[in-house]
Amino acid sequence: MTAANAVAVILVVGVTMYAVFGGADFGGGFWSLLAGGGDRGRRPRALIDWAIGPVWEANHVWLIFVLVVFWTGFPSAFEAVFSTLFIPLSLAAFGIVLRGAGFAFQHTARRARGRVLATTSFGAASVLTPFFLGTVVGAVAGGRVPVGNATGDWVTSWVNLLSFVTGALFVATGAYLASVFLVSDARRAGTPDLERYFTQRALAAAIGTGALAAVGLVALHRDARSVFDGLTSDALPLVVLSVVCGVGVLVLLRRGAQRGARVLAAGAVVAVIWGWAVAQHPYLLPPSLTVSDAAAPHETLIVLLIVFGVAVLAVLPSLGLLYTLVQRNLVEETSQPSRRPPEDTVAGV
């Protein structure tokens, strides 16, 4: 494997981690937005805040990681993407800031109107941000980002069917992950009504995400034939694996199984991302810029690989410890009524 391909693999790893962990956070905001107002939405929203509160900032580390690797390892592709697609990328960045502010202020605002505004901002930004990030991926896969500084069309590059379907798929995937994760969190919190509540939504999200994925394949066949051909050839085993994992999640949820659903849900998403990477290889910007052509000088790539190795030894254990402690704290908090989600019955469950 060349240094350029090794750095490309690292880039895909970062994208994968952000899609799973950051995507689940965005999905939590999606369900918060749809939970409703008043007493109806209070307990589901409380569980969402309780589950993602300790880790939501840490999950965005993966986005910073992806940007740094992309910028350092493939500067010409970074230039093309961020100059042509600056509109959706700017909207996504604004959404991340708005989402963080909404999440922080929804509990500290002194007036009820302010709390409602903050909660709505958190939910709306959690939908818009992954949507705009998805339009960027759709634009790249569709070959609408030519090499060079702002050489692509600022509007049509991302305002098209493939980009919009990909954006919707990003939103649905986050909602799917979040609902599956929240089923487990509700069980840990000892709230069976919320477990049923999110199980119903997980089943609906799984079906909706699968339907959008099918529409996405049709859009790929029309607008990005080379990627579609890759998905149906070299990447086909990963596509099949994603379908198998998705079906497995449905079976486990229907049976009320206590383990395995979260792993399979994450596996379905991971398989799709790596399938897309395999299908698009060797192009970083289809149909003209390959990974090797876009790569930085060899010395830069070597330094980047060394830094990544150091980060694996220093950062990943820390993040692993954080997630482990959070899960253990969730179990411990079930015996502390003052820190549990409210016990009122969820309306409509």
Side-chain angles (χ1 to χ4, degrees):
M1 178 182 291
T2 65
N5 282 327
V7 173
V9 169
I10 292 172
L11 184 63
V12 176
V13 169
V15 170
T16 302
M17 299 299 285
Y18 187 60
V20 173
F21 294 107
D25 278 357
F26 287 130
F30 175 89
W31 294 118
S32 176
L33 183 66
L34 296 186
D39 291 338
R40 175 182 177 84
R42 186 160 60 92
R43 291 192 65 239
R45 195 172 288 117
L47 179 67
I48 292 167
D49 295 347
W50 184 63
I52 72 175
V55 297
W56 70 280
E57 291 178 296
N59 289 334
H60 285 290
V61 168
W62 295 111
L63 177 60
I64 299 172
F65 172 81
V66 168
L67 293 178
V68 171
V69 173
F70 192 26
W71 170 40
T72 308
F74 306 100
S76 59
F78 184 91
E79 172 192 42
V81 170
F82 275 76
S83 59
T84 295
L85 300 172
F86 76 94
I87 294 177
L89 286 168
S90 297
L91 292 171
F94 175 73
I96 291 174
V97 174
L98 182 64
R99 179 179 182 273
F103 188 79
F105 288 113
Q106 63 181 344
H107 301 299
T108 59
R110 294 184 177 181
R111 298 182 179 180
R113 182 179 299 178
R115 291 193 295 271
V116 171
L117 178 60
T119 299
T120 303
S121 298
F122 167 66
S126 296
V127 174
L128 294 177
T129 301
F131 174 79
F132 287 120
L133 290 175
T135 63
V136 170
V137 173
V140 171
R144 292 184 171 88
V145 183
V147 181
N149 185 19
T151 54
D153 190 281
W154 293 351
V155 177
T156 60
S157 58
W158 64 280
V159 180
N160 55 76
L161 177 62
L162 177 59
S163 288
F164 283 178
V165 171
T166 307
L169 185 59
F170 270 45
V171 175
T173 299
Y176 166 63
L177 285 171
S179 55
V180 174
F181 287 6
L182 285 166
V183 170
S184 178
D185 290 329
R187 184 180 301 122
R188 291 176 181 273
T191 51
D193 56 336
L194 288 178
E195 183 180 346
R196 293 190 297 271
Y197 177 91
F198 282 109
T199 296
Q200 295 169 2
R201 281 146 184 80
L203 292 170
I207 295 172
T209 302
L212 276 173
V215 175
L217 287 174
V218 175
L220 277 175
H221 184 271
R222 193 191 77 166
D223 295 342
R225 187 58 184 269
S226 61
V227 177
F228 176 85
D229 291 341
L231 284 174
T232 55
S233 56
D234 293 341
L236 185 59
L238 288 167
V239 175
V240 173
L241 177 61
S242 178
V243 173
V244 170
C245 288
V247 172
V249 172
L250 291 174
V251 172
L252 291 177
L253 290 175
R254 291 287 295 177
R255 292 184 175 182
Q258 296 189 2
R259 294 184 179 181
R262 290 199 298 182
V263 174
L264 288 180
V269 175
V270 170
V272 168
I273 295 171
W274 282 85
W276 160 70
V278 170
Q280 190 169 295
H281 188 269
Y283 293 101
L284 198 58
L285 294 181
S288 58
L289 187 65
T290 64
V291 170
S292 58
D293 291 338
H298 182 74
E299 294 77 9
T300 301
L301 297 178
I302 296 300
V303 171
L304 193 58
L305 290 172
I306 294 173
V307 171
F308 175 73
V310 173
V312 167
L313 296 176
V315 178
L316 287 187
S318 301
L319 289 174
L321 178 61
L322 171 63
Y323 294 130
T324 300
L325 291 177
V326 166
Q327 291 302 307
R328 289 181 178 177
N329 285 340
L330 287 177
V331 174
E332 292 169 1
E333 286 175 0
T334 60
S335 62
Q336 303 176 27
S338 63
R339 302 180 65 186
R340 294 178 62 181
E343 295 293 337
D344 302 340
T345 302
V346 178
V349 176

